[in-house]
Structure formats: structure tokens, C-alpha cells
Amino acid sequence: MAEPIKLGIIGAGLAVKQLHWPALQRLRANYTFVAVADVDQHKAQEIATLTGAERVYTDYRELLALSAVEAVLLALPIHLTAPITLDAARAGKHVLLEKPPGANLEQARQLKEQLATLPITTLVAENFRYRPNLQQARRILSEGGLGELILLKLHSVSRANTDDPENFAGTPWRHDTQYRGGPILDGGVHHAAALRLLGGEVEWLQAFTKYGGSKLGGTTTITMNLRFRSGALGTYVYSAVCHDEQSSFLGLTLYGSAATLLVDNDALRLSRPGQAPETIPVEADPGYYGEFLNFYQALREGAPVVSTVEQSYRDMELILRGLDSAEQAQVILL
Ligand SMILES: NC(=O)c1ccc[n+]([C@@H]2O[C@H](COP(=O)([O-])OP(=O)(O)OC[C@H]3O[C@@H](n4cnc5c(N)ncnc54)[C@H](O)[C@@H]3O)[C@@H](O)[C@H]2O)c1
């Protein structure tokens, strides 16, 4: 087996501790941890202790100066992702950056263009692109299991807990937002990835938005109508402020001319008129393992990156053009 990737971590907060580390523990042969940087030394030390990294910094530039670091994982407040990704790339490090790749569409577009000129590999940690339930749904669709895709419904309604600092919605940078869209960008890019993965590219959209109702800054609720290039229609609803006992973060149903597919975390439910519904079990994996494995395979085996900056930019575009539609009271052609 090829050498493990010598990784540095910049931003040692909740995503690294709760989401990335459990996946990285399953990839011990693929990664070794050289250093951790966070403006909060305690957080950096905590992740260094977990991962076995021997060096800890409060200034990420010291980590980038280490020749022993060949790649970095960035999990920072959203407004810092693009500038620090660029610093890392210019320092010659491969970058696995958290989503979304910018604080607004223009910044993300510039990052995409600048990265394209540098000889490094980047992967955006959009875990939805690696989720087994979405991959399986995609296979069923492409094999014609639903007939013609007519309608996609993605409804995600849940009240984010903004008071607990160990909860994502409790982090101060999500309250005093320095990026466009607030929770609708932060969480919505995952939904956009799922919609695009299954429905293909969106051609037309029209949205309404609502602000407030939470400590979260920015837009907190959106309703969007979509028309995909294929001709399929979509309805997307996301609220981070309303409580719904029934809702999951990914409440997704695909309606085809021949069958309907409901996508759950651990199973897909296929139903056809006049027939008993069929349950197709899938691994309830959130996709983080897949993204780290893909990054390893891209660097060591030349495998293609699945979750590219370009794809992640287009997810962001879908959400932020939705905000444009609401602000301008217009139907938007993407
Ligand atoms: N893919 C997912 O499912 C998922 C889930 C949650 C968060 N995220 C993403 O992960 C990223 C981080 O989110 P989080 O919830 O872990 O936030 P967090 O606040 O818990 O972590 C961010 C860390 O960055 C540190 N930081 C701030 N400025 C810094 C700087 N200049 N240099 C170094 N460190 C600095 C903070 O001290 C903090 O520890 C965001 O991009 C978010 O969108 C992704």
C-alpha cells in the first residue's frame, strides 16, 4: 500500500471532532496527522491529542510552512474558507476543504479559477456526494426503475438548537454571519447537492425567503420551485427555525412515471400503484468516510475527485440564486 497522506488540520472545531475524526479512524492506514492549527489553542490541542499530531499552532501559516505537511483539512467558519484555501494551495498543499467554497458566489468563483491554475488537488467535503442512500437512489433512477422522473420533493424542516455550544447551530460565527444566506447556505448546499445528483442540472428556479426567528444570522427559511433541464420539476423547502416532529434533514421523495422512491438514511422505499411497497436497505453512512477515501485515492492512485470545487460551486449557485430570486421577485434562468 502507498504511503499514508501526511495531513495538517486547520480549524479544530465541531466538524473535525464529531464528523471527520470518526471517519478518519477507519482510515488509519491512509492518513497520519502532522499538525493542528486553531486560533483557540485548547481546541487545537484537543484534536492533536485525538489524532496523535505532535505540533499545535494558533497561526495556521506556521502549519503551512511545514514541509512535512503534504495536505490540509480545512474546517473553518465559512467566511475564512476561501482565503485560507488559497493560502494553503499557494503553499503547495493539497486541500480538502469544508463546504461551501466561499462566503458568496463571486468569492467562490474566484477561488475556483485561482485553484485551477495551481498544481494541487482539491476536494470539497460535500459528504452528500458520498452517501450510500443517494448513490443507490441514483442507480435506481439511471436503470429506469422509476420510469421518467417527473417530480423531486425535498422538504427539510427542523428547529436548530442555537443555545448549545456543542451543537453546530450554537457556534458564534453562525449567529454573526459574515457570509451570504446564513443557515440556508450552510445547510442548503447539502440539499442542492442531493437535488443535482438525482435531478441533474436546474434550468429555472423561483423562491421566497424569510429571515429571523432564531439567533442564526441570514435567511432562515426558503421555499423554492425548480425546473430541471430534463423537464422534471422540483419543490424544495428548508427551514432552520420551525419544529417538525416528522421531518429529517434530508426529507426526499422522487416521483417517476412508474414508481415513487422515498429516500431514508438507512433504506429506500419503492412503491408502485397496486403493489406492496418494497424496502431496499442501504448502509446508514453519512458519507465522510467516502470523502476521505476519495481524497486519498485521488492523491495516491490518481482517481478522479468526485466532489470537486466546480460541483460545490454549482450547489452554492443553486441556493444563492434562490436568494436572488426572492430578493428580486423574479424567476431565474441558471
Ligand atoms: N459536511 C458537514 O456535514 C458539515 C457539518 C458541520 C460543519 N461543516 C463545515 O465545517 C466548517 C466548520 O464548521 P464547524 O461546525 O466545525 O465550526 P466550529 O466553529 O466548531 O469550528 C471552526 C474552528 O475554526 C477555528 N478558527 C476560527 N478562525 C480561525 C483561524 N483564522 N485559523 C484557524 N482556526 C480558526 C475556530 O476556533 C473553531 O475551532 C464549516 O465550513 C461548515 O460549513 C460541515
Side-chain angles (χ1 to χ4, degrees), residues 42-112:
H42 293 292
K43 289 189 180 175
Q45 187 56 59
E46 189 184 359
I47 297 299
T49 304
L50 274 182
T51 57
E54 286 181 359
R55 297 174 217 214
V56 166
Y57 301 102
T58 52
D59 183 342
Y60 71 90
R61 285 168 296 194
E62 292 186 54
L63 182 151
L64 292 181
L66 295 174
S67 58
V69 170
E70 65 172 312
V72 286
L73 163 62
L74 300 193
L76 293 157
I78 287 173
H79 62 281
L80 297 176
T81 299
I84 298 184
T85 296
L86 202 55
D87 284 351
R90 285 185 173 144
K93 312 301 182 193
H94 303 292
V95 191
L96 199 167
L97 57 142
E98 262 299 345
K99 39 54 62 175
N104 54 58
L105 211 48
E106 179 54 21
Q107 191 188 53
R109 190 186 60 73
Q110 283 179 17
L111 178 69
K112 179 167 72 103

Coordinates of all heavy atoms in Angstrom, one line a residue, residues 42-112:
H42 N -6.7 25.5 22.9 CA -7.3 24.3 23.6 C -7.9 23.4 22.5 O -7.8 22.2 22.7 CB -8.3 24.8 24.6 CG -7.7 25.5 25.8 ND1 -6.9 24.9 26.7 CD2 -7.8 26.8 26.1 CE1 -6.5 25.8 27.6 NE2 -7.1 27.0 27.3
K43 N -8.6 24.0 21.6 CA -9.3 23.2 20.6 C -8.2 22.5 19.7 O -8.3 21.3 19.4 CB -10.2 24.0 19.7 CG -11.4 24.5 20.4 CD -12.4 25.1 19.4 CE -13.6 25.5 20.2 NZ -14.5 26.3 19.3
A44 N -7.2 23.2 19.4 CA -6.1 22.6 18.5 C -5.5 21.4 19.3 O -5.3 20.4 18.8 CB -5.1 23.7 18.2
Q45 N -5.2 21.7 20.6 CA -4.6 20.6 21.4 C -5.5 19.4 21.5 O -5.0 18.3 21.5 CB -4.3 21.2 22.8 CG -3.4 20.3 23.7 CD -2.1 19.8 23.0 OE1 -1.3 20.7 22.7 NE2 -2.0 18.5 22.8
E46 N -6.8 19.7 21.7 CA -7.7 18.5 21.8 C -7.7 17.6 20.6 O -7.6 16.4 20.7 CB -9.2 19.1 22.0 CG -10.2 18.1 22.4 CD -11.6 18.6 22.5 OE1 -11.8 19.9 22.3 OE2 -12.5 17.8 22.8
I47 N -7.7 18.2 19.4 CA -7.7 17.4 18.2 C -6.3 16.8 18.0 O -6.2 15.7 17.5 CB -8.1 18.3 17.0 CG1 -9.5 18.8 17.1 CG2 -7.9 17.5 15.7 CD1 -10.6 17.7 17.2
A48 N -5.2 17.5 18.4 CA -3.9 16.9 18.3 C -3.8 15.7 19.2 O -3.2 14.7 18.8 CB -2.8 18.0 18.7
T49 N -4.4 15.8 20.4 CA -4.4 14.6 21.3 C -5.1 13.4 20.7 O -4.6 12.3 20.7 CB -4.9 15.0 22.7 OG1 -4.2 16.1 23.1 CG2 -4.9 13.9 23.7
L50 N -6.3 13.7 20.1 CA -7.1 12.7 19.5 C -6.3 12.0 18.3 O -6.3 10.8 18.2 CB -8.4 13.2 18.9 CG -9.6 13.4 19.7 CD1 -10.7 14.0 18.9 CD2 -10.1 12.1 20.3
T51 N -5.7 12.8 17.5 CA -5.2 12.3 16.2 C -3.7 11.8 16.4 O -3.2 11.2 15.5 CB -5.2 13.4 15.1 OG1 -4.5 14.5 15.6 CG2 -6.6 13.8 14.8
G52 N -3.1 12.3 17.5 CA -1.6 11.9 17.6 C -0.7 12.9 17.0 O 0.5 12.7 16.9
A53 N -1.3 14.1 16.5 CA -0.4 15.1 15.8 C 0.5 15.7 16.9 O 0.1 16.0 18.0 CB -1.3 16.2 15.2
E54 N 1.8 15.9 16.5 CA 2.7 16.3 17.6 C 2.9 17.9 17.7 O 3.4 18.4 18.6 CB 4.1 15.7 17.3 CG 4.1 14.2 17.7 CD 5.4 13.5 17.5 OE1 6.4 14.2 17.1 OE2 5.4 12.3 17.8
R55 N 2.4 18.6 16.6 CA 2.6 20.0 16.6 C 1.3 20.7 16.6 O 0.3 20.3 16.0 CB 3.4 20.5 15.4 CG 4.8 19.9 15.4 CD 5.4 20.2 14.1 NE 6.2 19.1 13.6 CZ 7.3 19.2 12.9 NH1 7.8 20.4 12.6 NH2 8.0 18.2 12.6
V56 N 1.2 21.8 17.4 CA 0.0 22.6 17.6 C 0.3 24.1 17.4 O 1.3 24.6 17.9 CB -0.5 22.4 19.0 CG1 -1.6 23.4 19.4 CG2 -1.1 21.0 19.2
Y57 N -0.5 24.7 16.6 CA -0.3 26.2 16.3 C -1.5 27.0 16.5 O -2.6 26.4 16.2 CB 0.2 26.4 14.8 CG 1.5 25.6 14.5 CD1 1.4 24.4 13.8 CD2 2.7 26.1 14.9 CE1 2.6 23.7 13.5 CE2 3.9 25.4 14.7 CZ 3.8 24.2 14.0 OH 4.9 23.5 13.7
T58 N -1.4 28.3 16.8 CA -2.5 29.2 16.8 C -2.5 30.0 15.5 O -3.5 30.7 15.2 CB -2.6 30.1 18.0 OG1 -1.3 30.7 18.1 CG2 -2.9 29.3 19.3
D59 N -1.4 30.0 14.8 CA -1.3 30.7 13.5 C -1.2 29.6 12.4 O -0.2 28.9 12.3 CB -0.1 31.6 13.5 CG -0.1 32.5 12.2 OD1 -0.7 32.1 11.2 OD2 0.6 33.5 12.2
Y60 N -2.2 29.5 11.5 CA -2.2 28.4 10.5 C -1.0 28.6 9.6 O -0.6 27.6 8.9 CB -3.5 28.4 9.7 CG -3.7 29.5 8.8 CD1 -3.3 29.5 7.5 CD2 -4.3 30.7 9.2 CE1 -3.5 30.5 6.6 CE2 -4.5 31.8 8.3 CZ -4.1 31.7 7.0 OH -4.2 32.7 6.2
R61 N -0.5 29.8 9.4 CA 0.6 30.0 8.5 C 1.9 29.2 8.9 O 2.7 28.7 8.1 CB 0.9 31.5 8.3 CG -0.1 32.2 7.5 CD 0.0 33.6 7.5 NE -0.3 34.1 8.9 CZ -0.5 35.4 9.2 NH1 -0.5 36.3 8.3 NH2 -0.7 35.7 10.5
E62 N 2.0 29.0 10.2 CA 3.2 28.2 10.7 C 3.0 26.7 10.3 O 3.9 26.0 9.9 CB 3.3 28.3 12.2 CG 3.7 29.6 12.7 CD 4.0 29.7 14.2 OE1 4.8 28.9 14.7 OE2 3.4 30.5 14.8
L63 N 1.7 26.2 10.3 CA 1.5 24.9 9.8 C 1.7 24.7 8.3 O 2.4 23.8 7.9 CB 0.0 24.5 10.1 CG -0.5 23.1 9.8 CD1 -1.6 22.6 10.7 CD2 -1.0 23.0 8.3
L64 N 1.3 25.8 7.6 CA 1.5 25.7 6.1 C 3.0 25.8 5.7 O 3.4 25.3 4.7 CB 0.8 26.9 5.4 CG -0.7 26.8 5.4 CD1 -1.3 28.0 4.7 CD2 -1.2 25.5 4.8
A65 N 3.8 26.3 6.7 CA 5.3 26.4 6.4 C 6.0 25.0 6.6 O 7.2 24.9 6.2 CB 5.9 27.5 7.3
L66 N 5.3 24.1 7.1 CA 6.0 22.8 7.4 C 6.1 21.9 6.2 O 5.1 21.6 5.5 CB 5.2 22.0 8.5 CG 5.0 22.5 9.9 CD1 4.1 21.6 10.7 CD2 6.4 22.6 10.6
S67 N 7.3 21.5 5.8 CA 7.4 20.7 4.6 C 6.9 19.3 4.9 O 6.5 18.6 3.9 CB 8.9 20.6 4.2 OG 9.6 20.1 5.2
A68 N 6.8 18.9 6.1 CA 6.2 17.6 6.5 C 4.7 17.5 6.2 O 4.2 16.4 6.2 CB 6.5 17.3 7.9
V69 N 4.0 18.6 6.0 CA 2.6 18.6 5.8 C 2.4 18.6 4.2 O 2.9 19.5 3.6 CB 1.9 19.8 6.4 CG1 0.5 19.9 5.9 CG2 1.9 19.7 7.9
E70 N 1.8 17.5 3.7 CA 1.6 17.5 2.2 C 0.2 17.9 1.9 O -0.1 18.3 0.7 CB 1.9 16.1 1.6 CG 1.0 15.0 2.1 CD 1.3 13.7 1.3 OE1 1.4 13.8 0.1 OE2 1.5 12.7 2.0
A71 N -0.8 17.8 2.8 CA -2.2 18.1 2.5 C -2.8 18.7 3.8 O -2.4 18.3 4.9 CB -2.9 16.9 2.0
V72 N -3.8 19.5 3.6 CA -4.5 20.1 4.8 C -6.0 19.8 4.7 O -6.6 19.8 3.6 CB -4.3 21.6 4.9 CG1 -2.9 21.8 5.4 CG2 -4.6 22.4 3.7
L73 N -6.6 19.6 5.8 CA -8.1 19.6 6.0 C -8.5 20.9 6.6 O -8.0 21.3 7.7 CB -8.4 18.4 7.0 CG -9.8 18.5 7.6 CD1 -10.9 18.3 6.5 CD2 -10.0 17.3 8.6
L74 N -9.3 21.6 5.9 CA -9.8 22.9 6.4 C -11.2 22.8 6.9 O -12.1 22.5 6.1 CB -9.8 24.0 5.3 CG -8.4 24.3 4.7 CD1 -8.6 25.6 3.8 CD2 -7.3 24.5 5.7
A75 N -11.5 23.2 8.1 CA -12.9 23.2 8.7 C -13.0 24.4 9.5 O -12.9 24.4 10.7 CB -13.1 21.9 9.5
L76 N -13.3 25.5 8.8 CA -13.2 26.9 9.4 C -14.6 27.5 9.3 O -15.4 27.1 8.5 CB -12.2 27.7 8.6 CG -10.8 27.3 8.7 CD1 -10.0 27.7 7.5 CD2 -10.2 27.8 10.0
P77 N -14.8 28.6 10.0 CA -16.0 29.4 9.7 C -16.1 29.8 8.3 O -15.0 30.0 7.6 CB -15.8 30.7 10.6 CG -14.9 30.2 11.8 CD -14.0 29.2 11.2
I78 N -17.3 29.8 7.7 CA -17.4 29.8 6.2 C -16.7 31.0 5.6 O -16.1 30.8 4.5 CB -18.9 29.8 5.9 CG1 -19.5 28.4 6.1 CG2 -19.2 30.2 4.4 CD1 -21.0 28.3 6.0
H79 N -16.7 32.1 6.2 CA -16.0 33.3 5.6 C -14.5 33.2 5.5 O -13.9 33.9 4.7 CB -16.4 34.6 6.3 CG -16.0 34.7 7.7 ND1 -16.7 34.0 8.7 CD2 -15.0 35.3 8.3 CE1 -16.1 34.2 9.9 NE2 -15.0 35.0 9.6
L80 N -13.9 32.2 6.2 CA -12.5 32.1 6.1 C -12.0 31.0 5.2 O -10.8 30.8 4.9 CB -11.9 31.7 7.5 CG -12.2 32.8 8.6 CD1 -11.7 32.3 10.0 CD2 -11.4 34.1 8.2
T81 N -13.0 30.2 4.7 CA -12.6 29.0 3.9 C -11.9 29.4 2.6 O -10.8 28.9 2.3 CB -13.9 28.2 3.5 OG1 -14.4 27.8 4.7 CG2 -13.5 27.0 2.7
A82 N -12.4 30.4 1.8 CA -11.8 30.7 0.5 C -10.4 31.3 0.7 O -9.4 30.8 0.1 CB -12.7 31.6 -0.3
P83 N -10.2 32.3 1.5 CA -8.8 32.9 1.6 C -7.8 31.9 2.2 O -6.7 31.8 1.7 CB -9.0 34.1 2.6 CG -10.3 34.0 3.2 CD -11.2 33.1 2.3
I84 N -8.2 31.0 3.1 CA -7.2 30.1 3.7 C -6.9 28.9 2.8 O -5.8 28.4 2.7 CB -7.6 29.7 5.2 CG1 -7.6 31.0 6.0 CG2 -6.6 28.7 5.7 CD1 -7.9 30.8 7.5
T85 N -8.0 28.5 2.0 CA -7.7 27.5 1.0 C -6.7 28.0 0.0 O -5.8 27.3 -0.4 CB -9.0 27.2 0.2 OG1 -10.0 26.7 1.1 CG2 -8.8 26.2 -1.0
L86 N -6.8 29.3 -0.4 CA -5.9 29.8 -1.4 C -4.5 29.9 -0.8 O -3.5 29.5 -1.5 CB -6.4 31.2 -1.8 CG -5.8 31.7 -3.2 CD1 -6.1 30.7 -4.3 CD2 -6.5 33.0 -3.5
D87 N -4.3 30.3 0.5 CA -3.0 30.3 1.1 C -2.4 28.9 1.1 O -1.2 28.8 0.9 CB -3.2 30.8 2.6 CG -3.4 32.3 2.7 OD1 -3.2 33.0 1.7 OD2 -3.7 32.8 3.8
A88 N -3.2 27.9 1.5 CA -2.7 26.6 1.5 C -2.3 26.1 0.1 O -1.2 25.5 0.0 CB -3.8 25.6 2.1
A89 N -3.1 26.4 -0.9 CA -2.8 25.9 -2.2 C -1.5 26.6 -2.7 O -0.7 26.0 -3.4 CB -4.0 26.2 -3.1
R90 N -1.4 27.9 -2.4 CA -0.2 28.6 -2.8 C 1.1 28.1 -2.1 O 2.2 28.2 -2.6 CB -0.4 30.1 -2.6 CG -1.3 30.7 -3.6 CD -1.4 32.2 -3.5 NE -2.1 32.8 -4.6 CZ -3.0 33.8 -4.5 NH1 -3.1 34.4 -3.3 NH2 -3.6 34.3 -5.6
A91 N 0.9 27.5 -0.9 CA 2.0 26.9 -0.2 C 2.3 25.5 -0.7 O 3.1 24.8 -0.1 CB 1.7 26.9 1.3
G92 N 1.5 25.1 -1.7 CA 1.8 23.8 -2.4 C 1.1 22.6 -1.7 O 1.5 21.5 -2.0
K93 N 0.1 22.9 -0.8 CA -0.5 21.8 -0.1 C -1.8 21.4 -0.9 O -2.5 22.3 -1.4 CB -1.0 22.2 1.3 CG 0.1 22.9 2.1 CD 1.3 22.1 2.4 CE 2.3 22.8 3.3 NZ 3.7 22.2 3.3
H94 N -2.1 20.1 -1.0 CA -3.4 19.6 -1.4 C -4.4 20.0 -0.4 O -4.1 20.0 0.8 CB -3.3 18.1 -1.7 CG -2.2 17.7 -2.6 ND1 -2.3 18.0 -3.9 CD2 -1.1 17.0 -2.4 CE1 -1.2 17.6 -4.5 NE2 -0.5 16.9 -3.6
V95 N -5.6 20.3 -0.8 CA -6.6 20.8 0.2 C -7.9 20.0 0.1 O -8.5 19.9 -0.9 CB -6.9 22.3 -0.1 CG1 -7.7 22.9 1.1 CG2 -5.7 23.1 -0.3
L96 N -8.3 19.6 1.3 CA -9.7 19.0 1.5 C -10.4 20.1 2.3 O -10.1 20.2 3.5 CB -9.6 17.7 2.2 CG -10.8 16.7 2.1 CD1 -10.4 15.4 2.7 CD2 -12.0 17.2 2.8
L97 N -11.3 20.9 1.6 CA -11.9 22.0 2.3 C -13.4 21.7 2.6 O -14.0 21.0 1.8 CB -11.8 23.3 1.5 CG -12.3 23.2 0.1 CD1 -13.0 24.6 -0.3 CD2 -11.2 23.0 -0.9
E98 N -13.9 22.2 3.7 CA -15.3 22.1 4.0 C -16.1 22.9 3.1 O -15.6 23.9 2.5 CB -15.6 22.4 5.5 CG -15.6 21.1 6.4 CD -16.8 20.2 6.0 OE1 -17.7 20.6 5.2 OE2 -16.7 19.0 6.4
K99 N -17.4 22.6 3.0 CA -18.3 23.4 2.1 C -18.8 24.6 2.9 O -18.8 24.5 4.2 CB -19.5 22.5 1.7 CG -20.1 21.5 2.7 CD -20.5 21.9 4.1 CE -21.6 22.9 4.2 NZ -22.0 23.1 5.6
P100 N -19.3 25.6 2.3 CA -19.3 25.9 0.9 C -17.9 26.6 0.6 O -17.3 27.1 1.5 CB -20.5 26.8 0.7 CG -20.6 27.5 2.0 CD -20.1 26.5 3.1
P101 N -17.5 26.6 -0.7 CA -16.2 27.1 -1.0 C -16.1 28.7 -1.1 O -15.5 29.2 -2.0 CB -15.8 26.4 -2.3 CG -17.2 26.3 -3.0 CD -18.2 26.0 -1.9
G102 N -16.8 29.4 -0.3 CA -16.8 30.8 -0.3 C -17.9 31.4 0.5 O -18.9 30.8 0.8
A103 N -17.7 32.7 0.8 CA -18.7 33.5 1.6 C -19.9 34.0 0.7 O -20.9 34.4 1.2 CB -18.1 34.6 2.3
N104 N -19.6 34.0 -0.6 CA -20.6 34.5 -1.6 C -20.2 33.9 -2.9 O -19.1 33.3 -3.1 CB -20.7 36.0 -1.7 CG -19.4 36.6 -1.9 OD1 -18.7 36.4 -2.9 ND2 -18.9 37.5 -1.0
L105 N -21.0 34.0 -3.9 CA -20.8 33.3 -5.2 C -19.6 33.9 -5.9 O -18.8 33.1 -6.5 CB -22.0 33.5 -6.1 CG -22.3 32.3 -7.0 CD1 -22.2 31.0 -6.4 CD2 -23.7 32.5 -7.7
E106 N -19.4 35.2 -5.8 CA -18.2 35.8 -6.5 C -16.9 35.3 -5.9 O -16.0 35.0 -6.6 CB -18.4 37.3 -6.4 CG -17.2 38.1 -7.1 CD -17.0 37.8 -8.5 OE1 -17.9 37.2 -9.2 OE2 -15.9 38.0 -9.0
Q107 N -16.9 35.2 -4.6 CA -15.6 34.8 -3.9 C -15.4 33.3 -4.3 O -14.2 32.9 -4.6 CB -15.8 34.9 -2.4 CG -14.4 34.7 -1.7 CD -14.6 34.6 -0.2 OE1 -15.4 33.9 0.3 NE2 -13.8 35.4 0.5
A108 N -16.4 32.5 -4.4 CA -16.3 31.1 -4.7 C -15.8 30.9 -6.2 O -15.0 30.1 -6.5 CB -17.6 30.3 -4.5
R109 N -16.3 31.8 -7.0 CA -16.0 31.7 -8.5 C -14.5 32.1 -8.6 O -13.7 31.4 -9.3 CB -16.8 32.7 -9.3 CG -16.7 32.5 -10.8 CD -17.4 33.6 -11.6 NE -17.0 34.9 -11.2 CZ -15.9 35.5 -11.6 NH1 -15.0 34.8 -12.4 NH2 -15.5 36.7 -11.3
Q110 N -14.0 33.1 -7.9 CA -12.6 33.5 -8.0 C -11.7 32.4 -7.4 O -10.7 32.1 -8.0 CB -12.4 34.8 -7.2 CG -12.9 36.0 -7.9 CD -12.7 37.3 -7.1 OE1 -11.9 37.3 -6.2 NE2 -13.4 38.3 -7.5
L111 N -12.2 31.8 -6.3 CA -11.3 30.7 -5.8 C -11.2 29.5 -6.8 O -10.1 29.0 -7.0 CB -12.0 30.2 -4.5 CG -11.3 29.0 -3.8 CD1 -9.9 29.4 -3.3 CD2 -12.1 28.3 -2.7
K112 N -12.3 29.2 -7.4 CA -12.3 28.1 -8.4 C -11.3 28.4 -9.5 O -10.6 27.5 -9.9 CB -13.8 28.0 -8.9 CG -14.1 27.0 -9.9 CD -15.6 26.9 -10.1 CE -16.3 28.1 -10.8 NZ -16.7 27.9 -12.1

